[in-house]
Amino acid sequence: MALVGTPLQARRKIPDSPERALADWLRFGELAPDDRHALAWAKHYVEHSRPRVYDWLLNEGLKFMPAVNWVERGRHGDGNSLPRYHLLWGTARHMVERLTAALQGPELAGRIRILHSHRATGIEQTDGRISGVVAVDERDQTETRLDAGVVVVASGGINGSLAQVRKHWPTDRPQPAELLNGAHPHADGAMHQLVGKQFDGRIVRAGEMWNYAAGVPHPRPLFDGHGLSLIPCKSALWLNHRGERIGPEPLVTGFDTHWLCRRVAGQEKPWTWQLLNRRIARRELAISGAEHNPRIKNRQFLRFVAGLVLGSSRLLNDMLDQSPHFICAPGLEALAAKMNRLTGGDHVQPAALRATVEAYDANFASGSRLENDPQIHLIRHARQWGPDRLRTCRPAPLQNRRDGPFIAIHTRLITRKSLGGLRTDLGSRVLDRHGIPVAGLYCVGEAAGFGGGGACGKRSLEGTFLPGCILTARAAAQAIVQGG
């Protein structure tokens, strides 16, 4: 979570403030100066993420990890000007468990009804005001009508539907021939369309998305096209389909995800390669989500710290065993052969792959005196901040026998989150195309573009999504209680 002005930041002498965070936000997100609703939500976020997210979660019995990470710094220092990325101890899964337990507590006994396996298919209106929801039980297709004076749309974005993603993809940006689904098929935009058609709700910035540049097919998929989002290793070389380093500015994660996606989407083939060795993988390999972060999910602090300090092969070994898109070989010639076997062509020539690696390794021939590689500069910059130093290897040649074997990861662009959504005001009320609130209809979270229909603009400072869900939901709750 990107949070501003927290005690955790203060303890690490990070001089953050809402004013500084807003300046970073507006510069990096490139928000339109006349988009008053998005601007209002951006300002609301930076001013209220501390009391209405950080403090609130602590009050609910949740904790944050002691480190504050520095992500999305920008390629030219135009992103987060300082660290503000907080990690929830136990992941969001633990948060859901705590809040679900609160819903089942004695204070709310008999006041909440939860319908599992039901899909909302319609919102009803009587005399110009919301009167209920129609839902279908997906197990037996029976229809249920729910009387309600207020309806809150919390249906996620559109990025779980590859058809919707392609339909709204900006025409001025390259679109890859293949995409993995890193959201869920239920996030299909159906409620956006219903609200737009029935209530004249305005869907804005549907083409602005927060995708990731390095996805792999899930080895145990739950739906067609199910992908996993890697957190790419900073020390890996990012290669095109021929095994050549993508440049001249190398692709390195942690600085500008939006730019990475555009570069990957513009490649000749819809896949790229991450080239690394076991030393790098033990320290840096990570996959987004609770499923692949069991030490954090299960709150095993000592084991988590041991993995940071000593490195861990658990995740790498699991992916090597389960995924054909993780390739391992003792030499570059054997690695090239396996890479070609996976993609079904002679795209990677062993000589070209070796030339790529030797050109990088030449930076270390005379120690650090003659290093002149932008990726090495970025790695050294990242390692100046303690938490990043723990997760990032000291720069070194790839061809080092004791660091082997070589590993190649076959990656594709993967969908994730929608930055656009239904237009809402600061009370999370849905606005029609004339800017008038629809009586009794609210929208929160990703469905609202995390506030206002697109509070992040074109880029996120990263970690603004879950707090954006909390802030928009709490705003809706307050407005409903006050009779807004």
Side-chain angles (χ1 to χ4, degrees):
M1 300 187 187
L3 303 173
V4 180
T6 68
L8 209 52
Q9 287 178 303
R11 285 200 292 271
R12 276 140 191 82
K13 297 181 172 57
I14 301 170
D16 205 3
S17 68
E19 294 76 20
R20 185 165 185 172
L22 184 61
D24 291 350
W25 187 303
L26 299 182
R27 179 182 62 249
F28 201 53
E30 299 181 48
L31 275 72
D34 60 346
D35 191 342
R36 63 185 183 91
H37 294 291
L39 292 169
W41 267 106
K43 187 171 185 291
H44 179 84
Y45 184 109
V46 299
E47 291 177 349
H48 296 281
S49 67
R50 156 73 194 278
R52 296 180 67 81
V53 178
Y54 183 88
D55 293 346
W56 180 71
L57 288 172
L58 292 181
N59 190 57
E60 292 294 331
L62 292 146
K63 297 180 180 179
F64 288 90
M65 294 176 65
V68 182
N69 290 69
W70 198 351
V71 299
E72 292 300 297
R73 304 181 187 202
R75 291 156 54 220
H76 309 293
D78 52 343
N80 279 302
S81 58
L82 42 70
R84 52 174 65 100
Y85 191 76
H86 297 61
L87 291 172
L88 194 61
W89 186 232
T91 72
R93 174 174 176 160
H94 182 52
M95 182 191 76
V96 170
E97 291 171 345
R98 292 302 298 254
L99 298 181
T100 301
L103 290 178
Q104 298 171 339
E107 293 182 0
L108 296 174
R111 297 175 60 190
I112 292 179
R113 181 186 178 195
I114 299 176
L115 299 179
H116 294 288
S117 301
H118 282 67
R119 176 181 287 270
T121 58
I123 301 174
E124 296 191 329
Q125 194 175 27
T126 303
D127 297 329
R129 188 171 179 88
I130 296 295
S131 60
V133 171
V134 177
V136 173
D137 189 331
E138 295 190 327
R139 294 164 295 191
D140 60 12
Q141 299 304 304
T142 57
E143 190 173 272
T144 301
R145 186 188 181 282
L146 307 169
D147 293 328
V150 171
V151 168
V152 181
V153 176
S155 55
I158 68 170
N159 281 38
S161 167
L162 296 187
Q164 287 292 311
V165 168
R166 293 196 180 280
K167 176 182 177 182
H168 295 290
W169 197 280
T171 57
D172 63 342
R173 300 174 198 171
Q175 182 179 160
E178 298 175 9
L179 290 165
L180 293 172
N181 190 341
H184 192 281
H186 287 174
D188 58 6
M191 294 305 294
H192 294 74
Q193 297 168 33
L194 186 151
V195 171
K197 182 178 180 180
Q198 187 173 348
F199 300 99
D200 208 20
R202 187 181 176 197
I203 305 168
V204 294
R205 292 196 182 85
E208 298 298 347
M209 308 173 196
W210 192 249
N211 299 321
Y212 289 112
V216 296
H218 199 304
R220 298 171 287 274
L222 300 178
F223 47 84
D224 289 342
H226 188 184
L228 292 172
S229 177
L230 303 185
I231 301 173
C233 302
K234 283 186 173 66
S235 301
L237 300 187
W238 210 316
L239 313 180
N240 64 19
H241 72 285
R242 290 185 293 270
E244 303 161 340
R245 198 168 175 203
I246 299 173
E249 183 178 349
L251 274 58
V252 184
T253 191
F255 295 89
D256 189 337
T257 298
H258 180 82
W259 177 79
L260 285 179
C261 288
R262 294 188 68 163
R263 291 295 309 278
V264 167
Q267 294 300 305
E268 185 178 342
K269 296 289 185 181
W271 71 82
T272 57
W273 292 98
Q274 308 280 308
L275 179 63
L276 58 154
N277 55 32
R278 184 172 285 273
R279 168 182 171 265
I280 295 171
R282 280 175 53 84
R283 177 73 62 184
E284 299 186 19
L285 181 63
I287 298 177
S288 179
E291 177 186 2
H292 292 93
N293 293 277
R295 303 302 182 224
I296 302 176
K297 180 185 73 173
N298 298 324
R299 292 170 289 151
Q300 299 168 328
F301 186 73
L302 293 179
R303 291 187 178 184
F304 172 75
V305 171
L308 282 181
V309 175
L310 303 175
S312 173
S313 296
R314 176 195 56 78
L315 179 58
L316 173 63
N317 291 339
D318 179 55
M319 298 309 293
L320 287 172
D321 289 341
Q322 300 292 328
S323 173
H325 300 271
F326 278 69
I327 296 172
C328 183
L332 292 173
E333 288 74 14
L335 189 72
K338 289 186 176 182
M339 293 163 73
N340 286 330
R341 195 174 305 129
L342 179 65
T343 58
D346 293 328
H347 302 293
V348 180
Q349 296 300 312
L353 187 63
R354 179 166 294 281
T356 296
V357 174
E358 289 182 347
Y360 178 77
D361 285 357
N363 286 283
F364 305 98
S366 301
S368 61
R369 293 183 302 111
L370 299 180
E371 289 175 358
N372 190 27
D373 188 284
Q375 183 166 351
I376 296 174
H377 298 329
L378 290 173
I379 290 171
R380 293 201 184 282
H381 174 57
R383 281 172 52 85
Q384 291 174 1
W385 180 244
D388 279 331
R389 187 182 184 89
L390 283 172
R391 299 299 299 263
T392 307
C393 291
R394 177 181 56 81
L398 282 172
Q399 297 181 96
N400 192 329
R401 184 169 298 178
R402 66 175 180 271
D403 294 339
F406 294 105
I407 297 161
I409 309 175
H410 178 240
T411 59
R412 280 174 278 176
L413 199 145
I414 182 170
T415 68
R416 199 64 167 176
K417 304 175 183 75
S418 303
L419 294 185
L422 291 167
R423 180 74 86 189
T424 56
D425 63 10
L426 282 177
S428 291
R429 299 179 299 179
V430 172
L431 305 178
D432 66 18
R433 65 182 57 255
H434 303 293
I436 300 172
V438 179
L441 186 60
Y442 296 78
C443 184
V444 301
E446 191 175 355
F450 305 101
C456 292
K458 293 182 179 181
R459 290 176 178 84
S460 167
L461 291 176
E462 187 66 287
T464 59
F465 309 117
L466 183 51
C469 292
I470 293 171
L471 286 167
T472 54
R474 298 200 71 196
Q478 182 176 1
I480 290 168
V481 169
Q482 294 176 348

